[in-house]
Amino acid sequence: MTPIWKRDAPEVVGTPFASGRRRDVVVVGAGLTGLSTALLLTRRGMDVAVVEAGEVGGLASGANTGKLSLLQGAVLSSLRRHHSARLVRAYVESNQDGAQWLTGIADELGVPYSRRAAYSYAQTPEGVACIEAELNASVEAGLPVRRVEPDQLAQSPFDMVDAVALDRQVAIDPQRLLIALAQALLREGGTLHTGVRVTRVHAVPWSGIETTRGFLAANHVVLATATPITDRGLYFAKVRGLRSSCVAFATDGPLPEGLYISVDGETKSVRSITPEDGPAEVAQLIVGGNGFPVGRAASPLASVEGLVSWAQYHFPGAEPVASWSAQDYASHDLIPFVGAMPRALGRIRFATGYAKWGLSNAPAAALRLTAEICRVPRRDRPEWMNVISTRFTVPADLARGGVENLRVGWEAASGWIGAQGVPTPVPRPAEGEGVVANRAGQPVGISTVDGRTCAVSAVCTHLGGVLRWNDAELTWDCPLHASRFTAEGSRIEGPALRDLPRLPRVPGEELEDDPAEVRTPQATTAR
């Protein structure tokens, strides 16, 4: 499941890792937050190293729809329902500054993009009230939005009952932007280590990181890893992991000109691809949405198939050429968490909770992290930084968090109960399928991928949630706090830092009709 942006995208060659070095700042993660922060700090004269377990843009930053918009579905009206107008305006201003920085750096680095109108639209009459609320919240926050005229609604190729629009938003190829940022970082003296996984973060007695290649000391550590890879502050319990799918299509038919996202029903995000903002010679249309909490969908593959059916109904002749999924995290109060990690003496900083709007929230977070690390006086920072940093939790935030944590508790209990009901031995899963079975009271994940059947522990190495099989991406996903692992147990993302143990055959409990090798357990330190 390779994103359309990564087809034929050049690989950024990083720098050799030298264990024991001390840097001013170590940034963990080479996505948009990490690279933006690293470039900003490098330009401030700091010695900065970025450490990335995979490649540049390996996760959500390089796998989104490439829509940079301040009109974000129903985000502003949802915020305004429970928070002050001042906080909503601060959120908008943070996104404005983030978007302005991103387009400015794109211009500087020669990354093309297109300007388009963005639309939040209702698919049904029941969604009209949401459009009205979004219009009012946007106007109150200072955005020059407009209500879409009925004749324009009627011309849409898909169902638009009502809509609000914001002109001059941006469509961009996110992977092309990330590669340009990484190359600029290297040109300007920054360091980039790819293929190096961080296994531990330290604040005392020295600040820095441990990795699979050794350690790096630093005055400051920035965790730009979507969700923090340390349990300080318990932020894994203050956000929830959300996964959405995307499908790119080739088509000769008419294409929508704007950037669209629905506010009711199953989310549909729609944009076309032009030569200015993506590989238009390969695909001309992207449809995303049908999201779900990580590890809690009965069939992620059905979500992808639903997007294909929807697109082919509204755009006859459209043929899928690529499909993929991406993961982001939403905070319970709907505002990203950015700043210093608790109990870390100001040495560890992080950012999380973009709720799928990272193209504006990530550079905004980078601007704030840079201001804090460089000790810019509060009076000299943009007002939005001070407003957001002193926001208060309101009862509705506590309620959302409480409901989510109750759900986590239910998932934890039901996962263990369900795993007891399928004892081994089990039939060998068909290609692309996985099953959780009970071996001596312990959940075991058995799957077949590319003709190879593997058995791994189906217990998440973070907090012990029972994993579930993702039939779209052929991974083991945790329904508690959104950690994910390959079929063979290697950690992909989330708060977990260790791989899943691989399990040997047990005499009398061999997999039925399973000629494939199942290797013995190995160390579970994340690679």
Side-chain angles (χ1 to χ4, degrees):
M1 299 184 76
T2 302
I4 194 69
W5 321 114
K6 297 184 180 181
R7 289 196 174 188
D8 302 322
E11 182 177 341
V12 179
V13 178
T15 45
F17 186 88
S19 179
R21 288 285 303 271
R22 171 170 283 278
R23 307 282 185 179
D24 292 330
V25 184
V26 168
V27 177
V28 184
L32 186 52
T33 303
L35 291 173
S36 300
T37 304
L39 184 58
L40 283 165
L41 291 171
T42 298
R43 289 181 169 183
R44 293 284 192 113
M46 291 191 170
D47 181 11
V48 183
V50 177
V51 181
E52 165 60 47
E55 300 296 334
V56 169
L59 295 173
S61 290
N64 52 65
T65 58
K67 297 194 303 182
L68 170 59
S69 174
L70 304 183
L71 186 62
Q72 303 172 352
V75 168
L76 299 186
S77 56
S78 297
L79 276 172
R80 187 65 182 96
R81 193 173 301 121
H82 303 294
H83 294 279
S84 68
R86 183 168 180 254
L87 181 61
V88 178
R89 181 180 287 273
Y91 175 81
V92 168
E93 290 173 351
S94 72
N95 278 248
Q96 287 173 325
D97 280 2
Q100 183 178 3
W101 185 88
L102 188 142
T103 54
I105 201 70
D107 290 334
E108 176 189 332
L109 301 180
V111 179
Y113 56 87
S114 63
R115 291 279 186 182
R116 315 204 199 164
Y119 298 86
S120 292
Y121 72 95
Q123 304 175 88
T124 64
E126 289 73 22
V128 172
C130 186
I131 293 298
E132 185 74 36
E134 191 66 17
L135 176 69
N136 294 336
S138 299
V139 170
E140 185 180 44
L143 289 178
V145 294
R146 56 184 171 84
R147 197 71 167 264
V148 177
E149 298 296 330
D151 60 339
Q152 187 177 357
L153 295 174
Q155 295 170 8
S156 172
F158 44 88
D159 298 326
M160 282 177 51
V161 175
D162 199 356
V164 60
L166 179 63
D167 295 321
R168 293 191 55 75
Q169 302 309 287
V170 170
I172 195 168
D173 181 331
Q175 187 67 12
R176 189 170 180 177
L177 173 67
L178 292 166
I179 291 170
L181 286 171
Q183 292 171 338
L185 174 67
L186 293 171
R187 284 196 306 270
E188 299 188 28
T191 302
L192 173 63
H193 302 302
T194 57
V196 179
R197 185 175 296 285
V198 175
T199 57
R200 193 172 181 184
V201 183
H202 290 275
V204 291
W206 53 273
S207 56
I209 60 170
E210 294 181 29
T211 80
T212 51
R213 305 277 187 87
F215 71 93
L216 288 178
N219 297 329
H220 300 277
V221 176
V222 175
L223 300 180
T225 51
T227 189
I229 55 171
T230 175
D231 287 348
R232 283 186 176 92
L234 302 180
Y235 286 97
F236 65 84
K238 298 176 183 178
V239 297
R240 63 179 185 140
L242 303 171
R243 200 151 189 89
S244 293
S245 300
C246 295
V247 183
F249 296 86
T251 179
D252 294 327
L255 294 169
E257 295 181 357
L259 311 173
Y260 302 84
I261 187 165
S262 61
V263 300
D264 57 343
E266 289 190 322
T267 300
K268 296 295 183 294
S269 173
V270 184
R271 62 158 285 196
S272 61
I273 302 176
T274 71
E276 290 76 31
D277 52 46
E281 70 280 1
V282 179
Q284 296 77 40
L285 179 69
I286 293 178
V287 176
N290 286 9
F292 53 88
V294 178
R296 302 181 192 174
S299 173
L301 181 59
S303 297
V304 177
E305 292 171 343
L307 290 177
V308 173
S309 298
W310 185 91
Q312 291 182 331
Y313 176 81
H314 293 286
F315 300 92
E319 290 297 328
V321 296
S323 65
W324 66 96
S325 296
Q327 183 163 309
D328 201 3
Y329 298 79
S331 70
H332 300 325
D333 69 357
L334 305 179
I335 298 284
F337 290 112
V338 181
M341 186 70 68
R343 306 190 312 280
L345 304 179
R347 297 171 179 173
I348 301 175
R349 284 181 162 76
F350 73 107
T352 187
Y354 300 157
K356 305 181 185 179
W357 294 103
L359 281 180
S360 55
N361 275 305
L367 292 169
R368 179 175 165 189
L369 292 168
T370 299
E372 293 182 359
I373 291 172
C374 294
R375 298 184 177 180
V376 175
R378 291 178 68 89
R379 66 178 179 274
D380 295 333
R381 301 178 191 178
E383 180 62 17
W384 63 262
M385 292 187 187
N386 299 325
V387 172
I388 290 177
S389 66
T390 57
R391 71 186 189 268
F392 294 100
T393 299
V394 300
D397 303 333
L398 296 174
R400 278 190 294 269
V403 169
E404 175 61 19
N405 287 319
L406 285 173
R407 180 69 177 179
V408 167
W410 165 254
E411 294 290 348
S414 62
W416 278 90
I417 293 171
Q420 306 308 307
V422 184
T424 57
V426 297
R428 179 185 183 185
E431 177 63 36
E433 295 183 358
V435 62
V436 176
N438 172 14
R439 177 186 287 179
Q442 293 297 309
V444 178
I446 303 165
S447 62
T448 302
V449 177
D450 295 331
R452 182 190 184 95
T453 299
C454 295
V456 298
S457 169
V459 179
C460 181
T461 56
H462 180 228
L463 290 182
V466 176
L467 306 176
R468 295 181 181 173
W469 182 245
N470 182 324
D471 58 358
E473 297 168 276
L474 311 185
T475 59
W476 292 108
D477 298 355
C478 181
L480 272 59
H481 301 113
S483 294
R484 300 178 60 244
F485 306 84
T486 68
E488 292 188 341
S490 297
R491 182 258 187 196
I492 300 172
E493 61 184 312
L497 283 178
R498 294 175 296 143
D499 295 344
L500 302 174
R502 293 179 184 170
L503 302 179
R505 289 187 175 93
V506 175
E509 291 189 345
E510 296 179 348
L511 301 179
E512 295 179 2
D513 302 318
D514 179 12
E517 175 188 3
V518 179
R519 287 177 281 184
T520 56
Q522 61 183 34
T524 58
T525 301
R527 291 195 295 266

